[in-house]
Amino acid sequence: MTSESNALTGRKPAMSPAQIWNMSFGFLGIQIGFELQNGNVSRIFQTLGAEVNELAILWIAAPMTGLIVQPIIGYMSDNTWGRFGRRRPYFLIGAILASLALFIMPNSPTLWVAAGMLWIMDASLNITMEPFRAFVGDNLPDRQRTRGYGMQSFFIGVGAVVAGALPWAMTNWMGLSNTAPAGEIPETVQWAFYIGGAALLLAVMWTVFRTKEYSPEQIAAFEKARHEALGIVHGAAKTVRRTARQFFTGGAVWVFAGAIVASLVAWGRSDMQALEVGKELYVLAGLIAAFGAIQITAGLLRNADKDENGFMEVVNDLFAMPKTMRQLAVVQFFSWFAMFALWIYGTPAVTEFHFGSSDTTSKLYQDGADWWSLMGSVRNGLAAGAALVFVLIAARIERRWLHCLNLTIGALGFAAMILITDPALLWIAQIGLGIAWASIVSLPYAILAGSVPAKKMGIYMGIFNIFIVVPQLIAATLLSFLISAFFGGAPIYAMAIGAVSFLLAAIATLFVTDRTAAPELPQASAAGTV
């Protein structure tokens, strides 16, 4: 990025706006992929025969793959260095796989094929996305990280605008049909996925070939200088490792808790009970027990002195998270629970509540689905604008207060989804949802990046993703039950659940410790990165 001798003085150079732009541009393509997935997969599932109460369990593929893939990719990218750098090889491999998945997904002949393609597509997108988060932490000094994550958030918004508008534009501007015979996916959706796949690959390739990375030695020198500026003795901090006994005890508790939940689900589903308890809650029980099994496995490995492996490093780091990361985990839990409610139930809520149809072969349903996709573009366009504002005001407002305010505005957006009955006015609700979304994908990462060791940036960004995907997994298993049991199966009330969840996230934000950036070091120019 700059000469190694200059970097090894301990001064991480500030990057120019053009360099930050190039570094973040790949997120444009990644978000096009994610938004096509988020905005159209429920539509594809319903078209191929899925009922509304089956959507949540079908969507479980997305967070499950993130839970598995991101910590692994984080660990691998932390320990990768070669001709193409540390993070960039994963950008490219994931983009190629995700593009292929986008080409195949809208041609799924059956529901099970579409569900399988969601697993593959989400895994590929996660391979690309996780290193992008660590990339900003690697390359930018503390004082520029909010700007870097804000720029990522800007491209997330722009990419989502493009992806969300594609099906609507194909119908209204290009004259393609947004309806199809029963069991067939409309050609507007098919072409949107083809265009999105190409855009994803090109955008990621731009970042891969227009940026460079610091070597592990340079990263270590920067971290040492930063610790000295903060008054921390470099290398003094040691990770307190859990004993095998602690792993066994914790694992046993979690396995027992999973068994209890499974028993309650079985009891609730028995003929003697009037409760509508979905079988997807067994997945929740399995996830609880699986966390216990992971701890028991870690205990066995520790007893056998087999600690030098990626599995144990991830588990050790999970239980040794910095205080700020633990606090942010609570915020992320409620934030992403709300967002998953929006993604799963947005299409059926708008088509049924605002357009009056749940028949996937009807023009009303397809018009409603296209309109919701367009509202996604509005929401994400507002998010892109909000991200630029965050870049400008972040230095003037404490980040946790700003995030709290944004989440509260987002809760009002969720409430507006229910209060507004005219679909033409749904753009009003998107204002609040867009501001909250821009904040969710930028400010927590800016806070986190200053609280974790630089040499473990990738693995901690991957672990941080656990607190994004766990609430999504819980949402995928719990939302259907809540809506059926308390709201008569009406998907619009998922928006009420989202509003409450955002408010809880806003309250939790007030308890986050946001470490101040290191005192300013003399800054070198990073010319030559572009």
Side-chain angles (χ1 to χ4, degrees):
M1 305 187 80
T2 183
S3 68
E4 185 168 341
S5 59
N6 187 35
L8 288 175
T9 63
R11 300 171 296 175
K12 182 179 285 188
M15 297 181 73
S16 70
Q19 292 167 333
I20 296 175
W21 175 283
N22 285 339
M23 184 175 66
S24 304
F25 189 76
F27 239 103
L28 172 68
I30 294 171
Q31 192 56 32
I32 287 174
F34 268 120
E35 187 63 22
L36 284 170
Q37 172 183 294
N38 295 336
N40 294 278
V41 165
S42 286
R43 180 181 187 174
I44 291 172
F45 284 163
Q46 285 187 285
T47 298
L48 294 174
E51 299 296 332
V52 170
N53 61 3
E54 296 174 331
L55 291 177
I57 194 64
L58 287 169
W59 264 91
I60 201 171
M64 184 70 79
T65 52
L67 182 67
I68 297 169
V69 169
Q70 290 220 18
I72 293 172
I73 296 300
Y75 169 78
M76 291 174 64
S77 67
D78 277 346
N79 292 280
T80 296
W81 182 253
R83 177 182 175 185
F84 295 103
R86 191 182 193 188
R87 316 291 183 188
R88 289 176 297 155
Y90 299 94
F91 298 169
L92 188 57
I93 293 169
I96 292 170
L97 295 174
S99 295
L100 292 173
L102 284 166
F103 295 150
I104 297 170
M105 179 74 173
N107 295 293
S108 300
T110 61
L111 181 59
W112 72 267
V113 173
M117 286 311 305
L118 177 59
W119 281 85
I120 295 170
M121 183 164 58
D122 203 81
S124 303
L125 288 168
N126 274 290
I127 290 171
T128 304
M129 185 187 70
E130 195 285 331
F132 260 98
R133 295 296 191 189
F135 198 45
V136 170
D138 290 343
N139 291 347
L140 292 179
D142 285 338
R143 66 185 181 90
Q144 284 193 308
R145 281 175 176 161
T146 299
R147 182 176 298 176
Y149 287 113
M151 185 62 73
Q152 280 192 354
S153 182
F154 169 75
F155 280 119
I156 287 172
V158 173
V161 168
V162 173
L166 277 173
W168 183 89
M170 298 259 174
T171 300
N172 293 276
W173 293 352
M174 300 179 64
L176 297 179
S177 175
N178 70 346
T179 60
E184 295 185 17
I185 298 165
E187 60 181 348
T188 52
V189 175
Q190 292 178 329
W191 277 100
F193 272 66
Y194 300 155
I195 294 170
L200 188 158
L201 184 58
L202 291 172
V204 171
M205 287 177 66
W206 179 274
T207 292
V208 169
F209 293 110
R210 297 288 291 177
T211 59
K212 296 182 180 180
E213 299 184 66
Y214 292 116
S215 69
E217 293 77 18
Q218 290 171 308
I219 293 289
F222 295 144
E223 183 77 346
K224 180 179 179 181
R226 182 175 180 273
H227 281 186
E228 290 173 352
L230 287 169
I232 300 171
V233 178
H234 186 63
K238 300 293 183 183
T239 299
V240 179
R241 302 195 312 172
R242 285 167 65 89
T243 64
R245 181 177 180 180
Q246 288 174 315
F247 277 129
F248 288 138
T249 301
V253 169
W254 281 87
V255 169
F256 180 73
I260 293 295
V261 172
S263 300
L264 291 174
V265 173
W267 174 79
R269 287 176 56 81
S270 66
D271 294 336
M272 297 182 293
Q273 306 304 320
L275 294 174
E276 294 185 17
V277 178
K279 59 182 179 297
E280 61 269 14
L281 287 177
Y282 282 121
V283 178
L284 178 61
L287 290 170
I288 294 171
F291 184 58
I294 288 171
Q295 293 184 66
I296 292 171
T297 302
L300 292 171
L301 290 173
R302 180 136 295 162
N303 261 347
D305 290 326
K306 295 181 179 179
D307 284 335
E308 301 301 321
N309 56 74
F311 173 81
M312 287 302 293
E313 184 168 350
V314 172
V315 173
N316 286 333
D317 289 338
L318 174 64
F319 284 97
M321 290 185 296
K323 177 182 178 182
T324 296
M325 189 171 175
R326 295 196 302 270
Q327 294 166 334
L328 283 170
V330 180
V331 178
Q332 293 293 83
F333 178 90
F334 290 111
S335 299
W336 287 89
F337 188 93
M339 291 308 303
F340 213 55
L342 183 71
W343 293 334
I344 294 175
Y345 290 103
T347 297
V350 169
T351 54
E352 181 181 301
F353 184 75
H354 296 93
F355 282 79
S357 176
S358 57
D359 179 5
T360 59
T361 63
S362 71
K363 190 174 189 307
L364 269 179
Y365 176 91
Q366 295 298 339
D367 286 345
D370 280 353
W371 187 250
W372 179 240
S373 183
L374 183 63
M375 286 300 98
S377 289
V378 172
R379 177 174 67 251
N380 289 292
L382 291 164
L388 294 180
V389 173
F390 298 162
V391 170
L392 296 175
I393 68 174
R396 300 178 179 87
I397 300 177
E398 188 178 344
R399 287 180 294 202
R400 65 192 184 106
W401 283 104
L402 179 59
H403 194 47
C404 176
L405 174 62
N406 294 335
L407 289 171
T408 303
I409 294 171
L412 294 176
F414 267 117
M417 288 289 295
I418 303 172
L419 298 175
I420 294 172
T421 56
D422 183 355
L425 297 178
L426 282 177
W427 63 268
I428 297 172
Q430 308 316 305
I431 296 174
L433 294 172
I435 290 172
W437 175 237
S439 193
I440 289 168
V441 296
S442 58
L443 294 181
Y445 294 96
I447 296 171
L448 175 68
S451 70
V452 300
K455 67 179 180 179
K456 290 181 174 288
M457 188 70 69
I459 195 169
Y460 270 121
M461 287 293 176
I463 290 173
F464 195 52
N465 186 64
I466 292 173
F467 306 110
I468 295 173
V469 299
V470 166
Q472 293 181 39
L473 288 167
I474 293 175
T477 56
L478 195 59
L479 277 173
S480 179
F481 166 72
L482 293 175
I483 291 170
S484 297
F486 299 105
F487 300 108
I492 189 63
Y493 289 104
M495 306 300 109
I497 295 172
V500 173
S501 192
F502 261 1
L503 286 175
L504 292 173
I507 293 169
T509 302
L510 298 178
F511 296 93
V512 173
T513 302
D514 184 1
R515 285 185 57 180
T516 57
E520 288 299 325
L521 295 168
Q523 295 293 325
S525 170
T529 307
V530 179

PDB file of all heavy atoms in Angstrom, residues 43 46 52 95 104 157 178 205 212 218 251 256-257 282 394 458 472 524:
ATOM      1  N   ARG A  43     -40.781 -15.121  -2.473  1.00  0.00           N
ATOM      2  CA  ARG A  43     -41.624 -15.132  -3.676  1.00  0.00           C
ATOM      3  C   ARG A  43     -41.396 -16.410  -4.473  1.00  0.00           C
ATOM      4  O   ARG A  43     -42.347 -17.050  -4.941  1.00  0.00           O
ATOM      5  CB  ARG A  43     -41.278 -13.899  -4.520  1.00  0.00           C
ATOM      6  CG  ARG A  43     -42.050 -13.745  -5.811  1.00  0.00           C
ATOM      7  CD  ARG A  43     -41.555 -12.498  -6.522  1.00  0.00           C
ATOM      8  NE  ARG A  43     -42.340 -12.158  -7.684  1.00  0.00           N
ATOM      9  CZ  ARG A  43     -42.157 -11.041  -8.388  1.00  0.00           C
ATOM     10  NH1 ARG A  43     -41.213 -10.187  -8.036  1.00  0.00           N
ATOM     11  NH2 ARG A  43     -42.909 -10.795  -9.455  1.00  0.00           N
ATOM     12  N   GLN A  46     -42.876 -19.408  -2.517  1.00  0.00           N
ATOM     13  CA  GLN A  46     -44.335 -19.458  -2.611  1.00  0.00           C
ATOM     14  C   GLN A  46     -44.782 -19.874  -4.017  1.00  0.00           C
ATOM     15  O   GLN A  46     -45.740 -20.623  -4.177  1.00  0.00           O
ATOM     16  CB  GLN A  46     -44.942 -18.103  -2.244  1.00  0.00           C
ATOM     17  CG  GLN A  46     -44.922 -17.809  -0.746  1.00  0.00           C
ATOM     18  CD  GLN A  46     -45.683 -16.537  -0.397  1.00  0.00           C
ATOM     19  OE1 GLN A  46     -45.216 -15.435  -0.631  1.00  0.00           O
ATOM     20  NE2 GLN A  46     -46.866 -16.701   0.157  1.00  0.00           N
ATOM     21  N   VAL A  52     -47.307 -19.957   3.557  1.00  0.00           N
ATOM     22  CA  VAL A  52     -46.728 -18.868   4.348  1.00  0.00           C
ATOM     23  C   VAL A  52     -46.114 -19.384   5.636  1.00  0.00           C
ATOM     24  O   VAL A  52     -45.026 -18.957   6.041  1.00  0.00           O
ATOM     25  CB  VAL A  52     -47.802 -17.784   4.655  1.00  0.00           C
ATOM     26  CG1 VAL A  52     -47.278 -16.784   5.685  1.00  0.00           C
ATOM     27  CG2 VAL A  52     -48.206 -17.061   3.383  1.00  0.00           C
ATOM     28  N   ALA A  95     -17.259 -14.696  -4.822  1.00  0.00           N
ATOM     29  CA  ALA A  95     -18.021 -13.989  -5.855  1.00  0.00           C
ATOM     30  C   ALA A  95     -18.313 -14.896  -7.044  1.00  0.00           C
ATOM     31  O   ALA A  95     -19.418 -14.853  -7.611  1.00  0.00           O
ATOM     32  CB  ALA A  95     -17.258 -12.751  -6.307  1.00  0.00           C
ATOM     33  N   ILE A 104     -28.459 -19.881 -11.379  1.00  0.00           N
ATOM     34  CA  ILE A 104     -29.217 -21.138 -11.295  1.00  0.00           C
ATOM     35  C   ILE A 104     -30.512 -20.982 -10.499  1.00  0.00           C
ATOM     36  O   ILE A 104     -31.540 -21.581 -10.846  1.00  0.00           O
ATOM     37  CB  ILE A 104     -28.330 -22.236 -10.668  1.00  0.00           C
ATOM     38  CG1 ILE A 104     -27.107 -22.504 -11.566  1.00  0.00           C
ATOM     39  CG2 ILE A 104     -29.120 -23.524 -10.441  1.00  0.00           C
ATOM     40  CD1 ILE A 104     -26.059 -23.398 -10.925  1.00  0.00           C
ATOM     41  N   GLY A 157     -26.434   0.183   0.371  1.00  0.00           N
ATOM     42  CA  GLY A 157     -27.673   0.848  -0.012  1.00  0.00           C
ATOM     43  C   GLY A 157     -27.848   0.935  -1.517  1.00  0.00           C
ATOM     44  O   GLY A 157     -28.915   0.631  -2.055  1.00  0.00           O
ATOM     45  N   ASN A 178     -44.512 -10.270 -15.401  1.00  0.00           N
ATOM     46  CA  ASN A 178     -44.239 -10.607 -14.005  1.00  0.00           C
ATOM     47  C   ASN A 178     -45.170 -11.692 -13.488  1.00  0.00           C
ATOM     48  O   ASN A 178     -45.264 -11.930 -12.290  1.00  0.00           O
ATOM     49  CB  ASN A 178     -44.308  -9.365 -13.118  1.00  0.00           C
ATOM     50  CG  ASN A 178     -45.728  -8.837 -12.954  1.00  0.00           C
ATOM     51  OD1 ASN A 178     -46.634  -9.225 -13.692  1.00  0.00           O
ATOM     52  ND2 ASN A 178     -45.921  -7.934 -12.001  1.00  0.00           N
ATOM     53  N   MET A 205     -14.500  -7.995  -8.490  1.00  0.00           N
ATOM     54  CA  MET A 205     -13.238  -8.009  -9.225  1.00  0.00           C
ATOM     55  C   MET A 205     -12.585  -6.625  -9.224  1.00  0.00           C
ATOM     56  O   MET A 205     -11.354  -6.511  -9.182  1.00  0.00           O
ATOM     57  CB  MET A 205     -13.466  -8.497 -10.652  1.00  0.00           C
ATOM     58  CG  MET A 205     -13.732  -9.991 -10.758  1.00  0.00           C
ATOM     59  SD  MET A 205     -14.095 -10.530 -12.449  1.00  0.00           S
ATOM     60  CE  MET A 205     -12.510 -10.201 -13.234  1.00  0.00           C
ATOM     61  N   LYS A 212      -4.661  -3.129  -2.571  1.00  0.00           N
ATOM     62  CA  LYS A 212      -3.609  -3.984  -2.037  1.00  0.00           C
ATOM     63  C   LYS A 212      -3.836  -4.147  -0.541  1.00  0.00           C
ATOM     64  O   LYS A 212      -4.714  -3.505   0.039  1.00  0.00           O
ATOM     65  CB  LYS A 212      -2.237  -3.382  -2.324  1.00  0.00           C
ATOM     66  CG  LYS A 212      -1.910  -3.290  -3.818  1.00  0.00           C
ATOM     67  CD  LYS A 212      -0.513  -2.732  -4.041  1.00  0.00           C
ATOM     68  CE  LYS A 212      -0.206  -2.649  -5.538  1.00  0.00           C
ATOM     69  NZ  LYS A 212       1.152  -2.096  -5.798  1.00  0.00           N
ATOM     70  N   GLN A 218       3.491  -5.828   8.757  1.00  0.00           N
ATOM     71  CA  GLN A 218       3.049  -4.436   8.839  1.00  0.00           C
ATOM     72  C   GLN A 218       1.881  -4.289   9.808  1.00  0.00           C
ATOM     73  O   GLN A 218       1.835  -3.353  10.607  1.00  0.00           O
ATOM     74  CB  GLN A 218       2.648  -3.946   7.442  1.00  0.00           C
ATOM     75  CG  GLN A 218       3.824  -3.767   6.492  1.00  0.00           C
ATOM     76  CD  GLN A 218       3.358  -3.501   5.075  1.00  0.00           C
ATOM     77  OE1 GLN A 218       2.552  -4.238   4.517  1.00  0.00           O
ATOM     78  NE2 GLN A 218       3.861  -2.428   4.484  1.00  0.00           N
ATOM     79  N   GLY A 251     -21.194 -27.396  28.542  1.00  0.00           N
ATOM     80  CA  GLY A 251     -21.783 -28.216  27.495  1.00  0.00           C
ATOM     81  C   GLY A 251     -22.950 -29.042  27.993  1.00  0.00           C
ATOM     82  O   GLY A 251     -23.985 -29.150  27.322  1.00  0.00           O
ATOM     83  N   PHE A 256     -28.659 -30.249  28.081  1.00  0.00           N
ATOM     84  CA  PHE A 256     -29.862 -30.486  28.890  1.00  0.00           C
ATOM     85  C   PHE A 256     -30.954 -29.474  28.536  1.00  0.00           C
ATOM     86  O   PHE A 256     -32.132 -29.839  28.413  1.00  0.00           O
ATOM     87  CB  PHE A 256     -29.504 -30.389  30.375  1.00  0.00           C
ATOM     88  CG  PHE A 256     -30.674 -30.627  31.295  1.00  0.00           C
ATOM     89  CD1 PHE A 256     -31.196 -31.894  31.460  1.00  0.00           C
ATOM     90  CD2 PHE A 256     -31.251 -29.581  31.996  1.00  0.00           C
ATOM     91  CE1 PHE A 256     -32.277 -32.120  32.304  1.00  0.00           C
ATOM     92  CE2 PHE A 256     -32.326 -29.780  32.839  1.00  0.00           C
ATOM     93  CZ  PHE A 256     -32.844 -31.059  33.003  1.00  0.00           C
ATOM     94  N   ALA A 257     -30.563 -28.209  28.365  1.00  0.00           N
ATOM     95  CA  ALA A 257     -31.541 -27.185  27.993  1.00  0.00           C
ATOM     96  C   ALA A 257     -32.176 -27.491  26.640  1.00  0.00           C
ATOM     97  O   ALA A 257     -33.385 -27.318  26.446  1.00  0.00           O
ATOM     98  CB  ALA A 257     -30.870 -25.807  27.963  1.00  0.00           C
ATOM     99  N   TYR A 282     -38.268 -27.605  16.823  1.00  0.00           N
ATOM    100  CA  TYR A 282     -37.277 -28.647  17.103  1.00  0.00           C
ATOM    101  C   TYR A 282     -35.882 -28.204  16.653  1.00  0.00           C
ATOM    102  O   TYR A 282     -34.879 -28.601  17.241  1.00  0.00           O
ATOM    103  CB  TYR A 282     -37.655 -29.945  16.381  1.00  0.00           C
ATOM    104  CG  TYR A 282     -38.755 -30.740  17.046  1.00  0.00           C
ATOM    105  CD1 TYR A 282     -39.938 -31.028  16.368  1.00  0.00           C
ATOM    106  CD2 TYR A 282     -38.596 -31.221  18.345  1.00  0.00           C
ATOM    107  CE1 TYR A 282     -40.948 -31.769  16.971  1.00  0.00           C
ATOM    108  CE2 TYR A 282     -39.598 -31.962  18.958  1.00  0.00           C
ATOM    109  CZ  TYR A 282     -40.783 -32.229  18.263  1.00  0.00           C
ATOM    110  OH  TYR A 282     -41.768 -32.956  18.874  1.00  0.00           O
ATOM    111  N   ALA A 394     -20.302  11.441  12.276  1.00  0.00           N
ATOM    112  CA  ALA A 394     -19.822  10.473  13.275  1.00  0.00           C
ATOM    113  C   ALA A 394     -18.792  11.074  14.221  1.00  0.00           C
ATOM    114  O   ALA A 394     -18.706  10.693  15.387  1.00  0.00           O
ATOM    115  CB  ALA A 394     -19.241   9.244  12.583  1.00  0.00           C
ATOM    116  N   GLY A 458     -10.112 -10.918  11.397  1.00  0.00           N
ATOM    117  CA  GLY A 458     -10.974 -11.781  10.606  1.00  0.00           C
ATOM    118  C   GLY A 458     -11.789 -12.736  11.452  1.00  0.00           C
ATOM    119  O   GLY A 458     -13.005 -12.862  11.276  1.00  0.00           O
ATOM    120  N   GLN A 472     -31.286 -14.704  13.647  1.00  0.00           N
ATOM    121  CA  GLN A 472     -31.995 -15.074  12.428  1.00  0.00           C
ATOM    122  C   GLN A 472     -32.474 -16.524  12.504  1.00  0.00           C
ATOM    123  O   GLN A 472     -33.589 -16.847  12.072  1.00  0.00           O
ATOM    124  CB  GLN A 472     -31.083 -14.878  11.220  1.00  0.00           C
ATOM    125  CG  GLN A 472     -30.744 -13.419  10.952  1.00  0.00           C
ATOM    126  CD  GLN A 472     -29.854 -13.240   9.744  1.00  0.00           C
ATOM    127  OE1 GLN A 472     -30.016 -13.922   8.738  1.00  0.00           O
ATOM    128  NE2 GLN A 472     -28.905 -12.328   9.826  1.00  0.00           N
ATOM    129  N   ALA A 524       1.051   9.006   7.441  1.00  0.00           N
ATOM    130  CA  ALA A 524       1.703   9.013   6.142  1.00  0.00           C
ATOM    131  C   ALA A 524       0.646   8.944   5.058  1.00  0.00           C
ATOM    132  O   ALA A 524      -0.478   8.544   5.296  1.00  0.00           O
ATOM    133  CB  ALA A 524       2.651   7.819   6.021  1.00  0.00           C
TER     134      ALA A 524
END
